[in-house]
Amino acid sequence: MDVLWQIDGDDLSITWSEDRGTQISIPPASKGFGSTLVEATVTHQFGGTLSYDWRPVGLSVNIVMPLSILAR
């Protein structure tokens, strides 16, 4: 697993990448509690975005949040 972050203009970008895990051929049909909690926090509480990349070697998630909301 790798977690990378960077400041991109007025945003904080975080990428979570898993590899060498369970092989994934298609995205799951439903979301679990953890995914629901992260999505609600990132999108509703911090006004950010989440994007998922279901790669065969593992999941990669990109989170982008405005720095202005994080500085409060």
Side-chain angles (χ1 to χ4, degrees):
M1 172 191 56
D2 290 317
V3 178
L4 305 171
W5 65 273
Q6 69 179 18
I7 304 294
D8 186 15
D10 294 333
D11 296 325
L12 170 64
S13 177
I14 303 168
T15 302
W16 169 291
S17 296
E18 300 173 355
D19 56 5
R20 290 183 253 136
T22 304
Q23 294 259 323
I24 301 169
S25 57
I26 59 171
S30 62
K31 293 181 185 174
F33 175 75
S35 297
T36 301
L37 181 62
V38 168
E39 187 171 324
T41 303
V42 170
T43 62
H44 297 113
Q45 186 173 357
F46 293 122
T49 60
L50 235 95
S51 59
Y52 299 92
D53 182 9
W54 295 96
R55 305 168 301 151
V57 296
L59 174 63
S60 180
V61 180
N62 190 8
I63 301 167
V64 178
M65 296 180 289
L67 287 170
S68 60
I69 196 91
L70 299 172
R72 293 183 183 174

